[in-house]
Amino acid sequence: MDRRRFLQGSGAFAFAGMSGLTGCAKHVPMTANATAPSLPLYDAVSPIIPIRADIDRIFRITVCLRPFRPAGPRLDVERVGEKTIVHNYGHGGSGWSLSWGSAAVVIDKALAALDGKREIAVVGCGALGLTAATSAQRAGLKVTIYAKERPPFVRSSRATGSWTPDSRIALTSAAAPEFATQWESMARTSFAMYQSYLGMAGNPVEWTDRYQLSDVSREEQAAHHEREDSHGFVHYNPRIADLVPSQHDLPPGSTPFRTKYVRRTTSLTFNVADYSRQLINDFLIAGGKIETREFHTPQEIAALPEPVAVNCTGYAARALWNDESIVPVRGQIAWLIPQEGVNYGINYGNLNVLARRDGIVVQPSVHGDDDGWGETDETPDRAAAEAGVVALQSVYKRTQAGRA
Ligand SMILES: Cc1cc2nc3c(=O)[nH]c(=O)nc-3n(C[C@H](O)[C@H](O)[C@H](O)COP(=O)(O)OP(=O)(O)OC[C@H]3O[C@@H](n4cnc5c(N)ncnc54)[C@H](O)[C@@H]3O)c2cc1C
């Protein structure tokens, strides 16, 4: 989840103007005005059911390594013997969000290399492999996925599941000047494709509300997050600010949250369990094959029968391709039992929470964006998981029963 999404919204307030009788509401930025409503005139805060933040409701703890490259993902073409390899790895904390856009880039390159041939290999069955394979099928290719693991055992299955296209995707000091434009194109392509997964049985993708809770002003918060980013990650989200609704300040007392400021926006949630199952099912129904296989060297991939292979091996590309530019950025999630009617996200200081259909993701961090940098230990830390759940208890006002 991206804390900056909340801080980069339009001005302090926004309200909706109704355009005549068409009922077509649009968001109109408003200059600061002490008496102005902070919610659209037609809007209301729907009931927010508190999350049952009990440590005995933790049903699993997962750890995953973000495949971060300071220059941004690797999407170039390489020859290994007779084989053309198109790389598609290194998407940091944005792999799900950018996946379709990244697939569009690499499948175009693969089609050019195929020169009329119709068969392609995709190595890897995570977020990037599944979307590259599906995009290749949609381009009319016969596709085989080769992978050591498939969902739910891939690292992608341990992601938060939020629309976070610029989360730890590159460093300002290392990204090429043209990367921002390519990023924007990938983000817009992905966002458009995600709309085609809305409204399906199982809710693979849905729009859900996010609450930014804070006891300090927006400016103080921004300064705090700035201090916690010692590496200088790029922040491109303002380039696509038109894609998701701007944030609103909610009136005091209108929510069960106890903080001084409560702001709300709405964004995409990926219910990763169902979404990846649907991606696999669609791929198989369209005639794709998945072969369980582990590669130890690029030459083993070069020996595959297909003339072109797309390399979607994520963090594992560090060892397989000897790409030492990949920095592991560790992230841990405590999973709480899902709750009927609870489908929102919370961002409070360094605590990120997202209630999904397949579990309520609780992610505390100590150092904000710097958290987990260079860490390779994928062993769950139970104490940190419990600390996150206890922190979540503190965001709700106490009720008469003594608990939110
Ligand atoms: C805690 C956390 C939260 C995150 N939250 C989000 C989020 O909310 N939104 C978002 O967009 N992104 C998020 N991310 C980032 C996202 O999870 C990654 O960018 C993404 O999972 C990378 O996917 P991938 O397909 O490249 O790699 P993987 O999921 O690691 O898949 C790699 C595939 O390659 C295969 N493979 C690897 N090596 C070999 C080999 N030698 N031989 C054969 N097969 C091999 C694997 O078996 C697997 O199938 C998060 C990451 C973390 C850690």
Side-chain angles (χ1 to χ4, degrees), residues 61-96:
I61 302 168
T62 56
V63 180
C64 157
L65 306 179
R66 298 173 183 86
F68 177 77
R69 296 180 82 242
R74 185 171 181 197
L75 308 174
D76 64 327
V77 179
E78 183 179 351
R79 291 284 292 181
V80 179
E82 296 297 300
K83 187 81 59 200
T84 299
I85 309 287
V86 184
H87 294 293
N88 188 25
Y89 68 81
H91 297 73
S94 306
W96 281 109

PDB file of all heavy atoms in Angstrom, residues 61-96:
ATOM      1  N   ILE A  61       1.345 -15.880   8.722  1.00  0.00           N
ATOM      2  CA  ILE A  61       2.275 -14.755   8.586  1.00  0.00           C
ATOM      3  C   ILE A  61       3.130 -15.072   7.366  1.00  0.00           C
ATOM      4  O   ILE A  61       3.690 -16.175   7.280  1.00  0.00           O
ATOM      5  CB  ILE A  61       3.165 -14.605   9.835  1.00  0.00           C
ATOM      6  CG1 ILE A  61       2.296 -14.403  11.087  1.00  0.00           C
ATOM      7  CG2 ILE A  61       4.143 -13.446   9.680  1.00  0.00           C
ATOM      8  CD1 ILE A  61       3.067 -14.524  12.400  1.00  0.00           C
ATOM      9  N   THR A  62       3.184 -14.146   6.414  1.00  0.00           N
ATOM     10  CA  THR A  62       3.969 -14.411   5.207  1.00  0.00           C
ATOM     11  C   THR A  62       5.055 -13.355   5.027  1.00  0.00           C
ATOM     12  O   THR A  62       4.916 -12.215   5.475  1.00  0.00           O
ATOM     13  CB  THR A  62       3.079 -14.414   3.943  1.00  0.00           C
ATOM     14  OG1 THR A  62       2.374 -13.163   3.879  1.00  0.00           O
ATOM     15  CG2 THR A  62       2.082 -15.557   3.955  1.00  0.00           C
ATOM     16  N   VAL A  63       6.107 -13.771   4.377  1.00  0.00           N
ATOM     17  CA  VAL A  63       7.215 -12.859   4.090  1.00  0.00           C
ATOM     18  C   VAL A  63       7.557 -12.983   2.611  1.00  0.00           C
ATOM     19  O   VAL A  63       7.479 -14.071   2.039  1.00  0.00           O
ATOM     20  CB  VAL A  63       8.460 -13.211   4.933  1.00  0.00           C
ATOM     21  CG1 VAL A  63       9.605 -12.245   4.628  1.00  0.00           C
ATOM     22  CG2 VAL A  63       8.136 -13.199   6.419  1.00  0.00           C
ATOM     23  N   CYS A  64       7.911 -11.882   2.028  1.00  0.00           N
ATOM     24  CA  CYS A  64       8.216 -11.878   0.593  1.00  0.00           C
ATOM     25  C   CYS A  64       9.322 -10.863   0.345  1.00  0.00           C
ATOM     26  O   CYS A  64       9.506  -9.941   1.143  1.00  0.00           O
ATOM     27  CB  CYS A  64       6.919 -11.539  -0.124  1.00  0.00           C
ATOM     28  SG  CYS A  64       6.983 -10.847  -1.751  1.00  0.00           S
ATOM     29  N   LEU A  65      10.090 -11.060  -0.712  1.00  0.00           N
ATOM     30  CA  LEU A  65      11.161 -10.115  -1.054  1.00  0.00           C
ATOM     31  C   LEU A  65      10.778  -9.364  -2.319  1.00  0.00           C
ATOM     32  O   LEU A  65      10.537  -9.973  -3.367  1.00  0.00           O
ATOM     33  CB  LEU A  65      12.483 -10.863  -1.276  1.00  0.00           C
ATOM     34  CG  LEU A  65      12.951 -11.777  -0.146  1.00  0.00           C
ATOM     35  CD1 LEU A  65      14.274 -12.458  -0.528  1.00  0.00           C
ATOM     36  CD2 LEU A  65      13.108 -11.016   1.169  1.00  0.00           C
ATOM     37  N   ARG A  66      10.720  -8.054  -2.230  1.00  0.00           N
ATOM     38  CA  ARG A  66      10.433  -7.268  -3.436  1.00  0.00           C
ATOM     39  C   ARG A  66      11.682  -7.289  -4.311  1.00  0.00           C
ATOM     40  O   ARG A  66      12.782  -7.000  -3.825  1.00  0.00           O
ATOM     41  CB  ARG A  66      10.095  -5.824  -3.064  1.00  0.00           C
ATOM     42  CG  ARG A  66       8.849  -5.690  -2.208  1.00  0.00           C
ATOM     43  CD  ARG A  66       8.657  -4.253  -1.730  1.00  0.00           C
ATOM     44  NE  ARG A  66       7.513  -4.108  -0.839  1.00  0.00           N
ATOM     45  CZ  ARG A  66       7.560  -4.309   0.485  1.00  0.00           C
ATOM     46  NH1 ARG A  66       8.697  -4.651   1.073  1.00  0.00           N
ATOM     47  NH2 ARG A  66       6.481  -4.162   1.212  1.00  0.00           N
ATOM     48  N   PRO A  67      11.515  -7.567  -5.606  1.00  0.00           N
ATOM     49  CA  PRO A  67      12.693  -7.577  -6.507  1.00  0.00           C
ATOM     50  C   PRO A  67      12.973  -6.166  -7.007  1.00  0.00           C
ATOM     51  O   PRO A  67      12.483  -5.762  -8.056  1.00  0.00           O
ATOM     52  CB  PRO A  67      12.233  -8.502  -7.638  1.00  0.00           C
ATOM     53  CG  PRO A  67      10.733  -8.388  -7.664  1.00  0.00           C
ATOM     54  CD  PRO A  67      10.274  -7.960  -6.296  1.00  0.00           C
ATOM     55  N   PHE A  68      13.757  -5.431  -6.241  1.00  0.00           N
ATOM     56  CA  PHE A  68      13.947  -4.008  -6.540  1.00  0.00           C
ATOM     57  C   PHE A  68      15.224  -3.775  -7.345  1.00  0.00           C
ATOM     58  O   PHE A  68      16.296  -4.270  -6.994  1.00  0.00           O
ATOM     59  CB  PHE A  68      14.010  -3.204  -5.236  1.00  0.00           C
ATOM     60  CG  PHE A  68      14.281  -1.744  -5.487  1.00  0.00           C
ATOM     61  CD1 PHE A  68      13.265  -0.923  -5.940  1.00  0.00           C
ATOM     62  CD2 PHE A  68      15.544  -1.214  -5.313  1.00  0.00           C
ATOM     63  CE1 PHE A  68      13.507   0.416  -6.222  1.00  0.00           C
ATOM     64  CE2 PHE A  68      15.807   0.122  -5.580  1.00  0.00           C
ATOM     65  CZ  PHE A  68      14.776   0.931  -6.031  1.00  0.00           C
ATOM     66  N   ARG A  69      15.115  -2.984  -8.413  1.00  0.00           N
ATOM     67  CA  ARG A  69      16.298  -2.574  -9.189  1.00  0.00           C
ATOM     68  C   ARG A  69      16.329  -1.050  -9.199  1.00  0.00           C
ATOM     69  O   ARG A  69      15.337  -0.408  -9.600  1.00  0.00           O
ATOM     70  CB  ARG A  69      16.243  -3.085 -10.626  1.00  0.00           C
ATOM     71  CG  ARG A  69      16.285  -4.596 -10.717  1.00  0.00           C
ATOM     72  CD  ARG A  69      16.225  -5.043 -12.173  1.00  0.00           C
ATOM     73  NE  ARG A  69      17.506  -4.996 -12.837  1.00  0.00           N
ATOM     74  CZ  ARG A  69      17.807  -4.249 -13.895  1.00  0.00           C
ATOM     75  NH1 ARG A  69      16.910  -3.434 -14.398  1.00  0.00           N
ATOM     76  NH2 ARG A  69      19.004  -4.293 -14.449  1.00  0.00           N
ATOM     77  N   PRO A  70      17.429  -0.436  -8.767  1.00  0.00           N
ATOM     78  CA  PRO A  70      17.495   1.028  -8.715  1.00  0.00           C
ATOM     79  C   PRO A  70      17.146   1.690 -10.038  1.00  0.00           C
ATOM     80  O   PRO A  70      16.539   2.761 -10.076  1.00  0.00           O
ATOM     81  CB  PRO A  70      18.956   1.293  -8.313  1.00  0.00           C
ATOM     82  CG  PRO A  70      19.334   0.069  -7.520  1.00  0.00           C
ATOM     83  CD  PRO A  70      18.631  -1.077  -8.178  1.00  0.00           C
ATOM     84  N   ALA A  71      17.487   1.030 -11.157  1.00  0.00           N
ATOM     85  CA  ALA A  71      17.212   1.632 -12.476  1.00  0.00           C
ATOM     86  C   ALA A  71      15.797   1.338 -12.947  1.00  0.00           C
ATOM     87  O   ALA A  71      15.390   1.810 -14.010  1.00  0.00           O
ATOM     88  CB  ALA A  71      18.217   1.113 -13.498  1.00  0.00           C
ATOM     89  N   GLY A  72      15.045   0.551 -12.190  1.00  0.00           N
ATOM     90  CA  GLY A  72      13.700   0.148 -12.638  1.00  0.00           C
ATOM     91  C   GLY A  72      13.757  -1.254 -13.222  1.00  0.00           C
ATOM     92  O   GLY A  72      14.832  -1.858 -13.336  1.00  0.00           O
ATOM     93  N   PRO A  73      12.604  -1.815 -13.588  1.00  0.00           N
ATOM     94  CA  PRO A  73      12.582  -3.198 -14.062  1.00  0.00           C
ATOM     95  C   PRO A  73      13.425  -3.408 -15.312  1.00  0.00           C
ATOM     96  O   PRO A  73      13.614  -2.490 -16.104  1.00  0.00           O
ATOM     97  CB  PRO A  73      11.100  -3.444 -14.362  1.00  0.00           C
ATOM     98  CG  PRO A  73      10.423  -2.136 -14.296  1.00  0.00           C
ATOM     99  CD  PRO A  73      11.288  -1.183 -13.557  1.00  0.00           C
ATOM    100  N   ARG A  74      13.908  -4.647 -15.459  1.00  0.00           N
ATOM    101  CA  ARG A  74      14.699  -4.976 -16.653  1.00  0.00           C
ATOM    102  C   ARG A  74      13.758  -5.501 -17.732  1.00  0.00           C
ATOM    103  O   ARG A  74      13.107  -6.542 -17.544  1.00  0.00           O
ATOM    104  CB  ARG A  74      15.753  -6.029 -16.293  1.00  0.00           C
ATOM    105  CG  ARG A  74      16.659  -6.297 -17.449  1.00  0.00           C
ATOM    106  CD  ARG A  74      17.841  -7.167 -17.109  1.00  0.00           C
ATOM    107  NE  ARG A  74      18.646  -7.330 -18.310  1.00  0.00           N
ATOM    108  CZ  ARG A  74      19.557  -8.273 -18.462  1.00  0.00           C
ATOM    109  NH1 ARG A  74      19.811  -9.119 -17.474  1.00  0.00           N
ATOM    110  NH2 ARG A  74      20.221  -8.378 -19.590  1.00  0.00           N
ATOM    111  N   LEU A  75      13.717  -4.820 -18.865  1.00  0.00           N
ATOM    112  CA  LEU A  75      12.765  -5.163 -19.929  1.00  0.00           C
ATOM    113  C   LEU A  75      13.491  -5.244 -21.281  1.00  0.00           C
ATOM    114  O   LEU A  75      12.872  -5.063 -22.327  1.00  0.00           O
ATOM    115  CB  LEU A  75      11.643  -4.113 -20.011  1.00  0.00           C
ATOM    116  CG  LEU A  75      10.906  -3.770 -18.699  1.00  0.00           C
ATOM    117  CD1 LEU A  75       9.919  -2.625 -18.897  1.00  0.00           C
ATOM    118  CD2 LEU A  75      10.153  -4.993 -18.174  1.00  0.00           C
ATOM    119  N   ASP A  76      14.787  -5.522 -21.242  1.00  0.00           N
ATOM    120  CA  ASP A  76      15.541  -5.519 -22.499  1.00  0.00           C
ATOM    121  C   ASP A  76      15.621  -6.924 -23.113  1.00  0.00           C
ATOM    122  O   ASP A  76      15.140  -7.898 -22.551  1.00  0.00           O
ATOM    123  CB  ASP A  76      16.950  -4.947 -22.267  1.00  0.00           C
ATOM    124  CG  ASP A  76      17.764  -5.809 -21.326  1.00  0.00           C
ATOM    125  OD1 ASP A  76      17.156  -6.407 -20.405  1.00  0.00           O
ATOM    126  OD2 ASP A  76      18.984  -5.928 -21.499  1.00  0.00           O
ATOM    127  N   VAL A  77      16.238  -6.992 -24.294  1.00  0.00           N
ATOM    128  CA  VAL A  77      16.328  -8.251 -25.044  1.00  0.00           C
ATOM    129  C   VAL A  77      17.782  -8.698 -25.066  1.00  0.00           C
ATOM    130  O   VAL A  77      18.685  -7.888 -25.246  1.00  0.00           O
ATOM    131  CB  VAL A  77      15.826  -8.021 -26.489  1.00  0.00           C
ATOM    132  CG1 VAL A  77      15.940  -9.305 -27.308  1.00  0.00           C
ATOM    133  CG2 VAL A  77      14.384  -7.522 -26.484  1.00  0.00           C
ATOM    134  N   GLU A  78      17.987  -9.991 -24.851  1.00  0.00           N
ATOM    135  CA  GLU A  78      19.348 -10.524 -24.803  1.00  0.00           C
ATOM    136  C   GLU A  78      19.393 -11.814 -25.618  1.00  0.00           C
ATOM    137  O   GLU A  78      18.416 -12.571 -25.629  1.00  0.00           O
ATOM    138  CB  GLU A  78      19.699 -10.810 -23.332  1.00  0.00           C
ATOM    139  CG  GLU A  78      21.100 -11.302 -23.119  1.00  0.00           C
ATOM    140  CD  GLU A  78      21.410 -11.550 -21.619  1.00  0.00           C
ATOM    141  OE1 GLU A  78      20.582 -11.180 -20.750  1.00  0.00           O
ATOM    142  OE2 GLU A  78      22.474 -12.142 -21.357  1.00  0.00           O
ATOM    143  N   ARG A  79      20.499 -12.074 -26.277  1.00  0.00           N
ATOM    144  CA  ARG A  79      20.655 -13.350 -26.966  1.00  0.00           C
ATOM    145  C   ARG A  79      21.479 -14.279 -26.104  1.00  0.00           C
ATOM    146  O   ARG A  79      22.511 -13.900 -25.566  1.00  0.00           O
ATOM    147  CB  ARG A  79      21.409 -13.162 -28.290  1.00  0.00           C
ATOM    148  CG  ARG A  79      20.634 -12.406 -29.337  1.00  0.00           C
ATOM    149  CD  ARG A  79      19.549 -13.202 -29.999  1.00  0.00           C
ATOM    150  NE  ARG A  79      20.031 -14.298 -30.852  1.00  0.00           N
ATOM    151  CZ  ARG A  79      19.234 -15.109 -31.542  1.00  0.00           C
ATOM    152  NH1 ARG A  79      17.908 -14.976 -31.440  1.00  0.00           N
ATOM    153  NH2 ARG A  79      19.729 -16.067 -32.299  1.00  0.00           N
ATOM    154  N   VAL A  80      21.010 -15.513 -25.921  1.00  0.00           N
ATOM    155  CA  VAL A  80      21.801 -16.549 -25.236  1.00  0.00           C
ATOM    156  C   VAL A  80      21.866 -17.725 -26.210  1.00  0.00           C
ATOM    157  O   VAL A  80      20.867 -18.403 -26.429  1.00  0.00           O
ATOM    158  CB  VAL A  80      21.174 -16.994 -23.909  1.00  0.00           C
ATOM    159  CG1 VAL A  80      22.019 -18.080 -23.240  1.00  0.00           C
ATOM    160  CG2 VAL A  80      20.990 -15.810 -22.965  1.00  0.00           C
ATOM    161  N   GLY A  81      22.993 -17.920 -26.851  1.00  0.00           N
ATOM    162  CA  GLY A  81      23.097 -18.926 -27.909  1.00  0.00           C
ATOM    163  C   GLY A  81      22.141 -18.553 -29.035  1.00  0.00           C
ATOM    164  O   GLY A  81      22.110 -17.414 -29.508  1.00  0.00           O
ATOM    165  N   GLU A  82      21.302 -19.513 -29.413  1.00  0.00           N
ATOM    166  CA  GLU A  82      20.332 -19.275 -30.497  1.00  0.00           C
ATOM    167  C   GLU A  82      19.039 -18.639 -29.988  1.00  0.00           C
ATOM    168  O   GLU A  82      18.132 -18.341 -30.757  1.00  0.00           O
ATOM    169  CB  GLU A  82      19.962 -20.615 -31.173  1.00  0.00           C
ATOM    170  CG  GLU A  82      21.105 -21.311 -31.860  1.00  0.00           C
ATOM    171  CD  GLU A  82      21.639 -20.462 -33.011  1.00  0.00           C
ATOM    172  OE1 GLU A  82      20.868 -20.159 -33.939  1.00  0.00           O
ATOM    173  OE2 GLU A  82      22.824 -20.057 -32.956  1.00  0.00           O
ATOM    174  N   LYS A  83      18.936 -18.488 -28.706  1.00  0.00           N
ATOM    175  CA  LYS A  83      17.650 -18.080 -28.092  1.00  0.00           C
ATOM    176  C   LYS A  83      17.593 -16.568 -27.858  1.00  0.00           C
ATOM    177  O   LYS A  83      18.568 -15.942 -27.453  1.00  0.00           O
ATOM    178  CB  LYS A  83      17.517 -18.788 -26.738  1.00  0.00           C
ATOM    179  CG  LYS A  83      16.185 -18.604 -26.064  1.00  0.00           C
ATOM    180  CD  LYS A  83      15.119 -19.519 -26.594  1.00  0.00           C
ATOM    181  CE  LYS A  83      15.500 -20.971 -26.435  1.00  0.00           C
ATOM    182  NZ  LYS A  83      14.781 -21.868 -27.297  1.00  0.00           N
ATOM    183  N   THR A  84      16.400 -16.031 -28.089  1.00  0.00           N
ATOM    184  CA  THR A  84      16.167 -14.630 -27.705  1.00  0.00           C
ATOM    185  C   THR A  84      15.468 -14.637 -26.353  1.00  0.00           C
ATOM    186  O   THR A  84      14.442 -15.295 -26.178  1.00  0.00           O
ATOM    187  CB  THR A  84      15.272 -13.914 -28.738  1.00  0.00           C
ATOM    188  OG1 THR A  84      15.939 -13.940 -29.997  1.00  0.00           O
ATOM    189  CG2 THR A  84      15.016 -12.471 -28.322  1.00  0.00           C
ATOM    190  N   ILE A  85      16.055 -13.937 -25.411  1.00  0.00           N
ATOM    191  CA  ILE A  85      15.442 -13.804 -24.084  1.00  0.00           C
ATOM    192  C   ILE A  85      14.946 -12.368 -23.942  1.00  0.00           C
ATOM    193  O   ILE A  85      15.704 -11.416 -24.148  1.00  0.00           O
ATOM    194  CB  ILE A  85      16.471 -14.079 -22.956  1.00  0.00           C
ATOM    195  CG1 ILE A  85      17.215 -15.403 -23.172  1.00  0.00           C
ATOM    196  CG2 ILE A  85      15.801 -14.007 -21.587  1.00  0.00           C
ATOM    197  CD1 ILE A  85      16.417 -16.643 -22.920  1.00  0.00           C
ATOM    198  N   VAL A  86      13.678 -12.225 -23.583  1.00  0.00           N
ATOM    199  CA  VAL A  86      13.136 -10.891 -23.283  1.00  0.00           C
ATOM    200  C   VAL A  86      12.940 -10.847 -21.770  1.00  0.00           C
ATOM    201  O   VAL A  86      12.203 -11.656 -21.207  1.00  0.00           O
ATOM    202  CB  VAL A  86      11.791 -10.644 -23.999  1.00  0.00           C
ATOM    203  CG1 VAL A  86      11.322  -9.212 -23.745  1.00  0.00           C
ATOM    204  CG2 VAL A  86      11.902 -10.920 -25.494  1.00  0.00           C
ATOM    205  N   HIS A  87      13.626  -9.936 -21.119  1.00  0.00           N
ATOM    206  CA  HIS A  87      13.549  -9.882 -19.650  1.00  0.00           C
ATOM    207  C   HIS A  87      12.307  -9.120 -19.192  1.00  0.00           C
ATOM    208  O   HIS A  87      11.877  -8.146 -19.835  1.00  0.00           O
ATOM    209  CB  HIS A  87      14.808  -9.221 -19.082  1.00  0.00           C
ATOM    210  CG  HIS A  87      16.043 -10.042 -19.320  1.00  0.00           C
ATOM    211  ND1 HIS A  87      16.239 -11.253 -18.713  1.00  0.00           N
ATOM    212  CD2 HIS A  87      17.118  -9.833 -20.125  1.00  0.00           C
ATOM    213  CE1 HIS A  87      17.405 -11.759 -19.119  1.00  0.00           C
ATOM    214  NE2 HIS A  87      17.960 -10.926 -19.970  1.00  0.00           N
ATOM    215  N   ASN A  88      11.790  -9.579 -18.072  1.00  0.00           N
ATOM    216  CA  ASN A  88      10.579  -8.938 -17.500  1.00  0.00           C
ATOM    217  C   ASN A  88      10.610  -9.159 -15.981  1.00  0.00           C
ATOM    218  O   ASN A  88       9.769  -9.854 -15.430  1.00  0.00           O
ATOM    219  CB  ASN A  88       9.332  -9.579 -18.130  1.00  0.00           C
ATOM    220  CG  ASN A  88       8.042  -8.865 -17.759  1.00  0.00           C
ATOM    221  OD1 ASN A  88       8.046  -7.677 -17.435  1.00  0.00           O
ATOM    222  ND2 ASN A  88       6.925  -9.577 -17.794  1.00  0.00           N
ATOM    223  N   TYR A  89      11.612  -8.559 -15.336  1.00  0.00           N
ATOM    224  CA  TYR A  89      11.732  -8.747 -13.890  1.00  0.00           C
ATOM    225  C   TYR A  89      12.269  -7.483 -13.223  1.00  0.00           C
ATOM    226  O   TYR A  89      12.809  -6.604 -13.873  1.00  0.00           O
ATOM    227  CB  TYR A  89      12.636  -9.945 -13.553  1.00  0.00           C
ATOM    228  CG  TYR A  89      14.105  -9.766 -13.903  1.00  0.00           C
ATOM    229  CD1 TYR A  89      14.974  -9.060 -13.068  1.00  0.00           C
ATOM    230  CD2 TYR A  89      14.631 -10.313 -15.071  1.00  0.00           C
ATOM    231  CE1 TYR A  89      16.317  -8.907 -13.380  1.00  0.00           C
ATOM    232  CE2 TYR A  89      15.973 -10.159 -15.393  1.00  0.00           C
ATOM    233  CZ  TYR A  89      16.813  -9.459 -14.545  1.00  0.00           C
ATOM    234  OH  TYR A  89      18.137  -9.292 -14.855  1.00  0.00           O
ATOM    235  N   GLY A  90      12.069  -7.442 -11.901  1.00  0.00           N
ATOM    236  CA  GLY A  90      12.628  -6.326 -11.133  1.00  0.00           C
ATOM    237  C   GLY A  90      11.621  -5.212 -10.888  1.00  0.00           C
ATOM    238  O   GLY A  90      11.957  -4.025 -10.947  1.00  0.00           O
ATOM    239  N   HIS A  91      10.369  -5.593 -10.572  1.00  0.00           N
ATOM    240  CA  HIS A  91       9.295  -4.600 -10.433  1.00  0.00           C
ATOM    241  C   HIS A  91       9.056  -4.147  -8.988  1.00  0.00           C
ATOM    242  O   HIS A  91       7.990  -3.584  -8.682  1.00  0.00           O
ATOM    243  CB  HIS A  91       8.001  -5.133 -11.046  1.00  0.00           C
ATOM    244  CG  HIS A  91       8.097  -5.395 -12.523  1.00  0.00           C
ATOM    245  ND1 HIS A  91       8.806  -6.452 -13.027  1.00  0.00           N
ATOM    246  CD2 HIS A  91       7.609  -4.716 -13.589  1.00  0.00           C
ATOM    247  CE1 HIS A  91       8.745  -6.429 -14.356  1.00  0.00           C
ATOM    248  NE2 HIS A  91       8.025  -5.383 -14.721  1.00  0.00           N
ATOM    249  N   GLY A  92      10.018  -4.403  -8.113  1.00  0.00           N
ATOM    250  CA  GLY A  92       9.948  -3.864  -6.751  1.00  0.00           C
ATOM    251  C   GLY A  92       8.620  -4.112  -6.066  1.00  0.00           C
ATOM    252  O   GLY A  92       8.121  -5.239  -6.027  1.00  0.00           O
ATOM    253  N   GLY A  93       8.024  -3.043  -5.520  1.00  0.00           N
ATOM    254  CA  GLY A  93       6.741  -3.164  -4.813  1.00  0.00           C
ATOM    255  C   GLY A  93       5.551  -2.860  -5.711  1.00  0.00           C
ATOM    256  O   GLY A  93       4.466  -2.539  -5.227  1.00  0.00           O
ATOM    257  N   SER A  94       5.752  -2.970  -7.022  1.00  0.00           N
ATOM    258  CA  SER A  94       4.701  -2.574  -7.983  1.00  0.00           C
ATOM    259  C   SER A  94       4.376  -3.673  -8.988  1.00  0.00           C
ATOM    260  O   SER A  94       3.758  -3.400 -10.019  1.00  0.00           O
ATOM    261  CB  SER A  94       5.166  -1.341  -8.772  1.00  0.00           C
ATOM    262  OG  SER A  94       5.539  -0.306  -7.912  1.00  0.00           O
ATOM    263  N   GLY A  95       4.806  -4.892  -8.687  1.00  0.00           N
ATOM    264  CA  GLY A  95       4.713  -5.958  -9.696  1.00  0.00           C
ATOM    265  C   GLY A  95       3.299  -6.240 -10.175  1.00  0.00           C
ATOM    266  O   GLY A  95       3.053  -6.367 -11.380  1.00  0.00           O
ATOM    267  N   TRP A  96       2.346  -6.349  -9.234  1.00  0.00           N
ATOM    268  CA  TRP A  96       0.972  -6.591  -9.660  1.00  0.00           C
ATOM    269  C   TRP A  96       0.447  -5.375 -10.412  1.00  0.00           C
ATOM    270  O   TRP A  96      -0.173  -5.488 -11.465  1.00  0.00           O
ATOM    271  CB  TRP A  96       0.069  -6.881  -8.458  1.00  0.00           C
ATOM    272  CG  TRP A  96       0.195  -8.281  -7.936  1.00  0.00           C
ATOM    273  CD1 TRP A  96       0.767  -8.673  -6.762  1.00  0.00           C
ATOM    274  CD2 TRP A  96      -0.264  -9.491  -8.585  1.00  0.00           C
ATOM    275  NE1 TRP A  96       0.693 -10.054  -6.629  1.00  0.00           N
ATOM    276  CE2 TRP A  96       0.066 -10.566  -7.730  1.00  0.00           C
ATOM    277  CE3 TRP A  96      -0.908  -9.762  -9.788  1.00  0.00           C
ATOM    278  CZ2 TRP A  96      -0.231 -11.902  -8.053  1.00  0.00           C
ATOM    279  CZ3 TRP A  96      -1.209 -11.079 -10.115  1.00  0.00           C
ATOM    280  CH2 TRP A  96      -0.874 -12.132  -9.248  1.00  0.00           C
TER     281      TRP A  96
END
